[in-house]
Amino acid sequence: MDPSIALKDDMNKKRSCRGFRACWECKRRKLHGGSSYTSDVSSVSGLSISNTEVEEEQHCPLHIGERMNKLEQLFEKFVCRKPSNIGLSQTSSKSSTPQPNQTNEKPPPFTFGLPEISSDAQSNGLGNETIRRSLIVLLPSQRDADILFESTNGWMILSQMYRPSKDLFVNKDPQSYALDMEAVSREHVIVIARTLLHLAICICCLPPEFDASRLSMWSLDTAMENYVTTVTSLVTSSDEQMSTLPGLETLLLLASYHINSANLRQAWLIIRRGLNLAHLMGFHRIIAQEVTPPVEAIEASKFIWRALVDADRFLGLHLRLPFAADDYPIPEDASAPLLHRAKLAIIARQITELDSNVTPQSYAKALALDEKLESVMKSLSKHFWDVPNVPSTARTPESAEILERLVGQMWHFELKILLHLPFLLRAPTESRYEYSKITALQASRNVVMRWFALRNAGITQAGCRFAEMAVFIATVTIALDIVIEMGTKEKSAVQKTRGSDFAMICRVIGEMEKLAKASTREKIAGRTAAIIKKLLCSLDPSRRTSEKTRLTLPYFGTIEVSYHQPPVRPPFDLDSDTGKKLNTTATGSHLPVFSFVSNELWPSSDKTWDGDLDFDIILYDGLEDMDTEGNWVF
């Protein structure tokens, strides 16, 4: 046989093999449209181009997407998993994810039998499937998931923030408080994304002493951040997907993750977006309706609306930002924790309305709100207010109720602190506010005592992160009062009356520093300890000749402290270093984020304000970072 003929036969065989691997659309173009397209190109360019060359240039978008998806999957597996788990991950992803290239499966419907479908629809379908596969490959093995669920109290999320269907639990048993990864992988994209965020919160809330070698992940922090960034970029960015019950649950979980990571401003933005979408969905009307008998979808909508409003009140009060929703009605058959939480949401809104000039009228209103808090306290049983023995490992409804009750107690006492705080800071010069000082200090001690109970349980970080915001407010309140007394009274008298409070503060600092050193995830603890130590530095005798120290405290604002002098709020100066930073174009890799902060906590300064600028200006590195001077500011 002529060698040239044999060579041509070999080339034809290879080309036919390439055509066989193409999808139906590629073969259709080759059979019906290839010749006309080639002749047109040849006539215009004056060149002779074969049908095979044109076919090679017209790559099938489905095949390109599959190749890119395989690369993404390979990358994710090597980043987040150890080699011993790669084979298992590939097997599970193949079993749960359709593979169009397998010979025993039919081609997707839009590529076989519907050749006239538009390219945009093909792209959307391909994109959704690519997103789904990108999320599935991040799901951990069932063994890793079980360890994460049992090692923290993150399992409480299954009853407090969202309620998955029964089919998603291990053995379809909700009392297992663990999700079945294989069942999750067969669900919609939003359900997979919601599960990844739940797992991210569990990782974030692992106790510092947790043995990471029990899991088949390379890095817990890397896996946690990968879950959040992937879900944020691929899923939560779509308002259409978020305008569903699972979508709103996903936003609620994302906000919870940022609260646990000390990113309150980012969490506030997410909650505000969730409330806006819920308003569009009419949840503010559904919550006001009583439907008999209860309809599951309506009850789920009410559950989500209450959770979003509660989170909005919590964040708005700490950040001094307006609320986005009215008070919600309290169900007649509400449980004690739900009843308590609903009443506190109403009082929290009223407390923010007092954040104005301190006057006799505002003090009268504050005392009226204090009576409401006392009335709420008396309406619940004495057993409700006992400091319980927090179970460390039991995953039961009873354990969840105890933890929820304890966190609710701390929120109640924190509201008392915030209500009386402006008057406590004025008590040294105005004796009529002595009741507010006593009440705020006692509420602060109650908060700290309950935080010790939570931390002693060992695996209650999910509750501790919310509680530590109250602990921060309580500890700084006690420390400020000690600093004020040291600057206005005899040292021996203060040591005699406030020794136990000072010992409590030192214990809080020690516990939080220990947590911060043991785990990078304990951001709130580390930042709280640093702030309190800076505040107490004014009591150090070695600093008696030092100049005033300027501190910016979350919620409390900017103050100046010096040795044995009461702290004061300095006036804002546009010519100061902070004022000059207003013209800063960039800090590091971030554009600066401005925040204009003003509050009436502190008495008026002896110095005059520069014009009408009764506020501070804070410059942040970004929504998830501290300010440019290194202060932790909400």
Side-chain angles (χ1 to χ4, degrees):
M1 180 183 293
D2 189 354
S4 61
I5 297 175
L7 180 61
K8 291 181 179 179
D9 291 339
D10 291 339
M11 294 177 63
N12 291 335
K13 290 180 181 179
K14 292 181 180 179
R15 289 167 183 163
S16 62
C17 184
R18 289 178 185 172
F20 178 77
R21 285 198 302 268
C23 71
W24 182 261
E25 279 294 301
C26 293
K27 291 191 287 185
R28 182 174 180 272
R29 286 196 299 268
K30 178 181 176 183
L31 293 174
H32 300 285
S35 59
S36 61
Y37 174 81
T38 305
S39 61
D40 292 340
V41 173
S42 302
S43 62
V44 172
S45 62
L47 300 176
S48 177
I49 302 177
S50 67
N51 289 348
T52 305
E53 291 172 345
V54 175
E55 176 192 341
E56 291 175 351
E57 293 178 1
Q58 294 179 339
H59 299 290
C60 172
L62 178 62
H63 292 161
I64 295 175
E66 290 172 354
R67 296 186 188 110
M68 292 299 295
N69 185 55
K70 289 178 181 178
L71 289 175
E72 292 173 1
Q73 292 178 3
L74 187 63
F75 174 75
E76 301 292 355
K77 290 171 185 174
F78 276 96
V79 168
C80 298
R81 306 193 178 194
K82 295 181 181 179
S84 61
N85 196 40
I86 292 178
L88 179 61
S89 302
Q90 290 174 341
T91 303
S92 61
S93 66
K94 286 181 180 179
S95 63
S96 60
T97 307
Q99 301 292 337
N101 287 339
Q102 294 179 356
T103 57
N104 61 343
E105 293 185 5
K106 295 182 180 180
F110 68 84
T111 60
F112 185 85
L114 293 176
E116 68 279 355
I117 196 168
S118 66
S119 59
D120 290 341
Q122 289 185 16
S123 301
N124 291 335
L126 178 61
N128 290 334
E129 183 62 20
T130 301
I131 292 173
R132 186 172 181 275
R133 294 180 182 180
S134 299
L135 297 177
I136 289 176
V137 77
L138 293 179
L139 289 173
S141 65
Q142 188 61 50
R143 175 181 174 276
D144 284 354
D146 291 341
I147 293 175
L148 290 176
F149 287 128
E150 71 183 18
S151 300
T152 76
N153 67 318
W155 54 268
M156 289 178 55
I157 294 173
L158 294 170
S159 60
Q160 293 183 351
M161 291 191 180
Y162 79 102
R163 298 170 179 174
S165 65
K166 182 179 178 180
D167 294 338
L168 295 182
F169 287 93
V170 172
N171 299 324
K172 298 183 179 181
D173 179 17
Q175 296 300 318
S176 68
Y177 289 99
L179 297 178
D180 186 339
M181 295 297 102
E182 183 178 355
V184 170
S185 68
R186 295 193 296 266
E187 293 293 324
H188 191 275
V189 167
I190 301 178
V191 175
I192 303 172
R194 185 184 66 186
T195 304
L196 288 173
L197 290 180
H198 185 175
L199 292 168
I201 294 175
C202 288
I203 295 175
C204 183
C205 296
L206 286 171
E209 64 274 10
F210 177 77
D211 183 8
S213 64
R214 296 174 60 192
L215 301 173
S216 56
M217 298 179 180
W218 276 110
S219 168
L220 287 174
D221 292 342
T222 301
M224 174 182 67
E225 294 173 2
N226 206 12
Y227 292 167
V228 176
T229 54
T230 302
V231 170
T232 301
S233 60
L234 297 183
V235 181
T236 62
S237 57
S238 170
D239 285 335
E240 185 174 353
Q241 293 200 75
M242 293 300 99
S243 298
T244 60
L245 277 175
L248 294 177
E249 292 169 344
T250 302
L251 290 177
L252 191 61
L253 290 173
L254 183 58
S256 177
Y257 169 82
H258 284 294
I259 292 174
N260 288 332
S261 302
N263 299 323
L264 268 65
R265 291 174 296 144
Q266 185 71 68
W268 181 84
L269 286 173
I270 295 169
I271 290 296
R272 179 56 64 94
R273 181 181 172 213
L275 281 169
N276 289 340
L277 293 173
H279 272 114
L280 287 176
M281 298 168 68
F283 282 18
H284 59 295
R285 298 186 180 92
I286 294 176
I287 194 70
Q289 301 293 324
E290 288 292 337
V291 180
T292 305
V295 179
E296 183 178 357
I298 293 178
E299 294 304 311
S301 302
K302 292 181 178 180
F303 177 83
I304 290 297
W305 179 258
R306 286 191 290 264
L308 288 171
V309 172
D310 289 340
D312 183 53
R313 300 292 166 90
F314 176 84
L315 294 168
L317 193 59
H318 286 93
L319 295 171
R320 300 183 181 278
L321 293 173
F323 299 138
D326 296 330
D327 301 329
Y328 56 80
I330 303 174
E332 294 181 358
D333 58 344
S335 62
L338 175 57
L339 182 66
H340 185 218
R341 191 167 65 246
K343 291 181 178 179
L344 293 185
I346 296 173
I347 295 176
R349 185 185 186 92
Q350 296 171 338
I351 289 177
T352 58
E353 297 172 355
L354 291 178
D355 192 11
S356 58
N357 294 329
V358 174
T359 62
Q361 292 76 16
S362 64
Y363 188 49
K365 293 180 180 178
L367 293 178
L369 287 178
D370 181 74
E371 290 183 4
K372 286 186 178 181
L373 285 170
E374 287 295 319
S375 176
V376 170
M377 192 171 185
K378 293 177 181 178
S379 66
L380 299 169
S381 65
K382 183 180 178 181
H383 170 72
F384 183 90
W385 293 102
D386 291 339
V387 180
N389 294 322
V390 182
S392 59
T393 57
R395 290 186 287 177
T396 62
E398 292 76 18
S399 298
E401 191 273 333
I402 290 175
L403 291 171
E404 183 181 8
R405 175 159 53 93
L406 191 57
V407 173
Q409 292 176 11
M410 299 181 73
W411 178 225
H412 182 106
F413 290 121
E414 184 184 0
L415 289 178
K416 262 187 172 289
I417 299 171
L418 299 179
L419 176 63
H420 289 283
L421 187 57
F423 311 104
L424 174 147
L425 298 174
R426 289 164 173 79
T429 57
E430 300 183 59
S431 59
R432 59 179 171 175
Y433 297 138
E434 191 67 21
Y435 171 79
S436 288
K437 174 181 175 177
I438 296 172
T439 304
L441 291 177
Q442 185 57 45
S444 299
R445 299 182 189 107
N446 285 329
V447 167
V448 175
M449 181 172 59
R450 283 161 175 78
W451 180 74
F452 288 147
L454 268 178
R455 278 295 182 184
N456 289 338
I459 63 166
T460 57
Q461 273 72 5
C464 287
R465 300 293 170 75
F466 283 90
E468 278 167 9
M469 306 308 300
V471 173
F472 168 80
I473 297 292
T475 310
V476 172
T477 298
I478 297 174
L480 280 173
D481 191 65
I482 292 177
V483 171
I484 291 173
E485 289 197 359
M486 289 293 287
T488 57
K489 298 180 180 180
E490 289 292 332
K491 179 180 178 181
S492 58
V494 177
Q495 289 176 337
K496 183 178 180 180
T497 58
R498 306 304 300 276
S500 59
D501 284 343
F502 190 80
M504 179 183 290
I505 294 175
C506 293
R507 181 183 174 187
V508 171
I509 294 175
E511 292 286 341
M512 290 195 169
E513 284 186 328
K514 181 181 177 180
L515 290 169
K517 291 178 181 178
S519 173
T520 58
R521 297 182 294 274
E522 299 288 350
K523 295 179 181 179
I524 298 179
R527 294 176 182 179
T528 298
I531 286 176
I532 300 173
K533 288 178 67 177
K534 286 182 181 180
L535 182 60
L536 295 180
C537 282
S538 62
L539 303 179
D540 186 357
S542 63
R543 294 178 176 266
R544 69 177 65 207
T545 59
S546 302
E547 297 181 354
K548 291 183 178 181
T549 302
R550 190 185 184 98
L551 301 176
T552 300
L553 311 178
Y555 187 80
F556 293 85
T558 301
I559 61 173
E560 287 182 351
V561 294
S562 57
Y563 181 72
H564 279 205
Q565 293 293 326
V568 296
R569 178 190 174 196
F572 180 74
D573 183 8
L574 283 175
D575 296 327
S576 64
D577 293 338
T578 304
K580 293 177 181 178
K581 288 180 180 179
L582 291 175
N583 297 323
T584 304
T585 56
T587 55
S589 59
H590 299 287
L591 292 176
V593 179
F594 295 96
S595 181
F596 297 87
V597 181
S598 178
N599 67 70
E600 297 295 333
L601 283 179
W602 296 91
S604 300
S605 173
D606 294 335
K607 299 179 182 179
T608 59
W609 294 95
D610 184 9
D612 295 327
L613 299 181
D614 189 3
F615 54 76
D616 294 330
I617 297 179
I618 301 174
L619 189 65
Y620 296 91
D621 284 333
L623 283 174
E624 298 182 9
D625 298 324
M626 295 185 289
D627 73 342
T628 56
E629 296 180 351
N631 296 308
W632 177 38
V633 185
F634 293 162

